[in-house]
């Protein structure tokens, strides 16, 4: 219910399949970040675990590999999903970057700093979401290849291992910072959704947020509703 | 103020506190990530915490070695990291991993150099010479009385001893004269660009290696019944000794491209109790 007592319209933002893919990605990535960066911890941190440190670090390796396999499976599944299913194809088509995204980015930043009175009218996926989405493809490609190489270290010459290690650590650092600074802000600390955007749980987005952040998409969806209602009226 | 309003305020406050705590934790983590990547110093590009090639101080080395040992998936190279072979003069020139030419067998040979003196395989055999093999602490020469610990890491090395007039002489130790000559050669060769064809270098190397054979003992010289080593006398338990005699390593190496030995470090055989 809105403050006026009028029920807000709800729209589907994420389907059940997309939510399951997302939650597996969230859990796996969190585990990968924790167990991966444990290797960079200082001595005092390791000493906290005392005699259990050897077991904990042994488990660390196992968990990191299990999470790595999970994330790989989700990525492969997602590729199939966006190719084979109708929802998936619609998702990836709407994610394709367009010249308007550049204009939106500039205008949105001007709006943020107060040089424009209104936010640009953006579509189903805004430029930040597109950037995040395609960055995951790039990042996953790097970490899956280099992670597999490091898992099968006995197959590779030392130089290849050094390069793989450098790329794996570099991409992991970039991804972790992007998630913390970019994604966590936009889905948790952004004033429009604080304390959380519930779309990852129930898949829905309300019309207020649609109007604020996805005006073009909102107008298109409303037109569809109006057209279908007009069709019902004509036929009925 | 109505109860409902108070409850709402408390609920919002709790959410704000929780979100603030999470925010601070994430911000601290992000700052730490940037610190380790951009500010901490040489990045360990192997991501295993082992940076001995870029950082050389003893203190950091020991810290990194400890981290390496607990972080590596296989937790390997204990003997080399512990420095058991480091007293050997051979290691000073040839390194901890001296076998590098033959890709298929080098790992096996390098693994043996952790717990055997180089002379066991590389000694020049002489006719009618009696040689005994014992587990000795390399520094003190004290003989081990039992094999305790992880396979191969028993605190000693298998060392060949030549029997001369009923007295055993260690073959991994040079005479004082040869020792001094070898150490002098090693220290000099650090200062000059060693040219293998330059006569003094070549003749010095020949002198240093005079008691060693270019053709080393191969797998089946030991891993066979009545081979070079008597595994029972070398303190192995009977079942383990019998297993070591029947490995047929040479035929494995020559016959197959890929092979594995699932029972090699089977705990039931290595330490049945």
């Amino acid at each position: 219910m809105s403050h006026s007592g009028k029920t807000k319209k709800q729209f589907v933002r994420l389907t059940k399949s997309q939510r399951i893919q997302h939650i597996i990605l969230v859990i796996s990535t969190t585990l990968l970040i924790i167990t991966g960066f444990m290797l960079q911890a200082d001595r005092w941190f390791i000493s906290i675990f005392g005699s259990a440190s050897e077991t904990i670090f042994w488990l660390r390796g196992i968990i990191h590999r299990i999470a790595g396999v999970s994330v790989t499976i989700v990525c492969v599944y997602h590729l199939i999903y966006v190719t084979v299913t109708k929802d998936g194809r619609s998702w990836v088509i709407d994610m394709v970057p367009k010249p308007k995204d550049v204009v939106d980015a500039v205008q949105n930043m001007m709006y943020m700093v107060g040089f424009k009175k209104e936010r640009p009218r953006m579509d189903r996926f805004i430029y930040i979401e597109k950037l995040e989405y395609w960055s995951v493809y790039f990042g996953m490609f790097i970490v899956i290849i280099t992670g597999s190489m490091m898992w099968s270290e006995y197959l590779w010459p030392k130089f290849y291992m050094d390069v793989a290690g450098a790329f794996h650590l570099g991409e992991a650092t970039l991804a972790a910072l992007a998630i913390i600074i970019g994604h966590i802000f936009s889905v948790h600390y952004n004033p429009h959704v604080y304390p959380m955007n519930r779309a990852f749980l129930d898949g829905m987005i309300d019309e207020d947020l649609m109007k604020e952040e996805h005006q073009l998409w909102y107008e298109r969806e409303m037109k569809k509703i109006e057209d279908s209602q007009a069709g019902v009226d004509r036929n009925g | 103020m109505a109860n409902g309003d108070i409850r709402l305020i408390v609920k919002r406050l709790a959410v704000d506190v929780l979100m603030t705590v999470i925010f601070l934790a994430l911000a601290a983590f992000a700052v730490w990530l940037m610190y380790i990547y951009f500010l901490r110093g040489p990045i360990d590009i192997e991501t295993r915490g082992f940076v001995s090639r870029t950082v050389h101080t003893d203190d950091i080395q020991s810290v990194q070695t400890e981290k390496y040992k607990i972080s590596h998936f296989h937790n390997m190279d204990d003997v080399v990291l512990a420095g058991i072979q480091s007293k050997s003069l051979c290691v000073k020139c040839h390194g901890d991993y001296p076998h590098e030419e033959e890709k298929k067998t080098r790992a096996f040979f390098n693994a043996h150099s952790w717990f055997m003196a180089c002379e066991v395989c590389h000694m020049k055999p002489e006719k009618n010479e009696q040689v005994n093999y014992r587990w000795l602490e390399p520094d003190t020469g004290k003989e081990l009385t039992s094999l305790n610990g992880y396979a191969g890491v028993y605190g000693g090395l298998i060392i060949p001893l030549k029997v001369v007039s009923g007295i055993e002489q260690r073959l991994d130790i040079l005479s004082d004269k040869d020792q001094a000559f070898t150490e002098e050669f090693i220290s000099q060769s650090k200062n000059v660009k060693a040219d293998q064809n330059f006569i003094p270098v070549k003749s010095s190397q020949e002198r240093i290696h005079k008691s060693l054979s270019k053709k080393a003992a191969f797998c089946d010289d030991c891993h066979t019944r009545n081979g070079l080593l008597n595994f029972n006398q070398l303190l192995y338990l009977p079942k383990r000794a019998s297993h070591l005699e029947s490995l047929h390593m040479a035929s494995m190496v020559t016959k197959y491209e890929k092979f594995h030995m699932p029972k090699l470090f089977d705990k039931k055989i290595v330490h049945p109790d």
Side-chain angles (χ1 to χ4, degrees):
Chain A
M1 293 277 274
S2 68
H3 294 298
S4 62
K6 187 185 163 190
T7 307
K8 283 183 192 173
K9 285 191 182 67
Q10 299 284 331
F11 296 83
V12 175
R13 179 71 170 156
L14 296 172
T15 64
K16 191 176 176 183
S17 168
Q18 290 159 2
R19 294 200 306 274
I20 291 170
Q21 290 174 56
H22 174 263
I23 206 76
I24 295 173
L25 190 66
V26 170
I27 294 168
S28 306
T29 308
T30 306
L31 287 173
L32 284 166
I33 289 172
I34 293 170
T35 55
F37 284 104
M38 275 171 77
L39 285 180
Q40 298 297 330
D42 287 321
R43 195 185 195 185
W44 66 265
F45 177 79
I46 296 169
S47 67
I48 290 172
F49 303 113
S51 58
S53 63
E54 194 161 333
T55 308
I56 288 169
F57 271 74
W58 175 76
L59 277 172
R60 180 216 70 79
I62 303 284
I63 294 169
H64 196 78
R65 284 160 177 80
I66 292 171
V69 171
S70 306
V71 102
T72 307
I73 291 170
V74 168
C75 285
V76 172
Y77 177 82
H78 185 72
L79 286 176
I80 297 168
Y81 172 79
V82 296
T83 315
V84 172
T85 67
K86 192 183 164 194
D87 285 341
R89 283 195 297 271
S90 144
W91 172 281
V92 82
I93 288 166
D94 287 344
M95 275 288 183
V96 173
K98 298 180 182 75
K100 184 180 179 304
D101 292 317
V102 181
V103 179
D104 286 349
V106 174
Q107 289 186 344
N108 201 33
M109 279 186 264
M110 288 171 73
Y111 166 75
M112 297 283 189
V113 293
F115 291 143
K116 264 182 78 75
K117 282 188 179 169
E118 285 182 8
R119 189 187 279 273
R121 286 150 46 86
M122 293 182 277
D123 212 330
R124 180 182 175 191
F125 298 117
I126 69 172
Y127 62 94
I128 297 172
E129 291 162 340
K130 290 181 182 180
L131 191 66
E132 280 183 354
Y133 179 74
W134 293 109
S135 299
V136 174
Y137 274 86
F138 171 77
M140 285 298 166
F141 177 76
I142 301 277
V143 290
I144 289 171
I145 298 283
T146 56
S148 306
M149 284 176 70
M150 293 192 326
W151 197 349
S152 56
E153 60 184 318
Y154 52 88
L155 292 176
W156 307 96
K158 171 98 180 36
F159 172 75
Y160 283 56
M161 292 310 304
D162 286 350
V163 172
F167 272 68
H168 200 81
L169 178 64
E171 174 50 38
T173 308
L174 178 65
L177 288 173
I179 291 166
I180 293 168
I181 296 167
H183 193 65
I184 298 280
F185 170 79
S186 62
V187 296
H188 288 286
Y189 292 93
N190 178 352
H192 298 147
V193 297
Y194 179 87
M196 77 167 94
N197 185 335
R198 294 183 58 85
F200 82 103
L201 293 174
D202 59 17
M204 306 308 283
I205 180 173
D206 67 49
E207 63 181 320
D208 289 348
L209 189 57
M210 285 270 277
K211 282 182 200 168
E212 179 67 30
E213 295 192 349
H214 308 281
Q215 180 77 28
L216 283 181
W217 185 37
Y218 174 72
E219 288 168 8
R220 207 165 57 237
E221 291 300 308
M222 288 306 292
K223 189 165 186 313
K224 274 187 205 167
I225 294 168
E226 283 162 15
D227 288 349
S228 67
Q229 277 177 349
V232 170
D233 292 344
R234 272 198 302 276
N235 296 328
Chain B
M1 199 179 284
N3 276 348
D5 290 342
I6 294 171
R7 209 174 293 130
L8 190 67
I9 290 168
V10 171
K11 193 179 159 191
R12 281 184 180 167
L13 192 66
V15 169
D16 286 348
V17 169
L18 179 67
M19 293 302 282
T20 306
V21 169
I22 294 171
F23 174 81
L24 291 174
L26 288 171
F29 183 62
V31 169
W32 179 72
L33 282 185
M34 285 191 269
Y35 162 72
I36 61 160
Y37 203 82
F38 297 110
L39 302 173
R40 193 168 61 177
I43 282 286
D44 165 20
I45 59 172
E46 287 182 80
T47 71
R48 296 173 198 153
F50 189 57
V51 290
S52 64
R53 275 182 301 280
T54 46
V55 182
H56 293 288
T57 67
D58 289 345
D59 184 40
I60 293 175
Q61 172 67 48
S62 69
V63 173
Q64 298 301 345
T65 300
E66 190 179 304
K67 282 177 69 179
Y68 174 73
K69 285 170 74 175
I70 57 175
S71 63
H72 194 273
F73 191 55
H74 302 293
N75 210 5
M76 60 205 288
D77 293 8
D78 285 351
V79 184
V80 172
L81 292 169
I84 290 175
Q85 269 284 18
S86 60
K87 300 282 178 186
S88 164
L89 272 178
C90 311
V91 171
K92 284 195 175 160
C93 288
H94 295 281
D96 285 318
Y97 304 96
H99 310 94
E100 55 183 19
E101 280 177 23
E102 187 57 53
K103 208 172 178 181
K104 208 166 162 187
T105 52
R106 63 188 180 189
F108 287 110
F109 294 153
N110 285 333
H112 282 71
S113 64
W114 296 354
F115 59 88
M116 280 168 41
C118 309
E119 289 79 4
V120 171
C121 300
H122 292 277
M123 186 178 59
K124 198 177 274 179
E126 286 177 23
K127 278 183 185 173
N128 304 321
E129 186 182 56
Q130 189 193 340
V131 177
N132 297 331
Y133 298 88
R134 301 190 194 284
W135 283 98
L136 302 182
E137 286 178 11
D139 293 345
T140 61
K142 195 178 160 194
E143 186 174 3
L144 302 189
T145 53
S146 62
L147 303 182
N148 301 310
Y150 183 73
V153 194
Y154 306 128
L157 300 173
I158 299 176
I159 290 173
L161 300 118
K162 187 165 75 171
V163 183
V164 182
S165 310
I167 298 169
E168 290 183 330
Q169 293 176 353
R170 280 176 67 168
L171 286 171
D172 64 323
I173 295 178
L174 299 172
S175 67
D176 289 349
K177 206 174 157 189
D178 285 344
Q179 174 88 10
F181 177 81
T182 308
E183 282 178 355
E184 174 69 11
F185 175 78
I186 292 170
S187 79
Q188 288 299 320
S189 63
K190 280 178 188 164
N191 302 326
V192 295
K193 194 179 173 185
D195 179 352
Q196 301 300 315
N197 296 317
F198 183 53
I199 298 301
V201 172
K202 204 169 181 179
S203 60
S204 299
Q205 285 178 336
E206 278 171 6
R207 179 175 164 182
I208 290 166
H209 296 97
K210 68 178 181 215
S211 60
L212 302 172
S213 167
K214 273 191 178 174
K215 192 175 179 294
F218 199 58
C219 315
D220 274 8
D221 291 326
C222 296
H223 292 290
T224 184
R225 222 168 269 280
N226 303 319
L228 203 60
L229 302 178
N230 183 326
F231 295 109
N232 285 298
Q233 283 177 7
L234 278 169
L235 307 173
Y236 287 103
L237 296 167
K239 200 172 178 186
R240 173 80 168 150
S242 160
H243 183 244
L244 289 169
E245 279 178 0
S246 58
L247 277 176
H248 301 301
M249 278 300 303
S251 54
M252 293 274 270
V253 171
T254 50
K255 259 185 178 173
Y256 303 107
E257 271 302 313
K258 287 181 182 173
F259 50 83
H260 71 288
M261 293 168 289
K263 287 185 179 173
L264 186 59
F265 297 113
D266 190 336
K267 281 182 183 166
K268 287 176 195 160
I269 297 174
V270 179
H271 296 298
D273 50 347

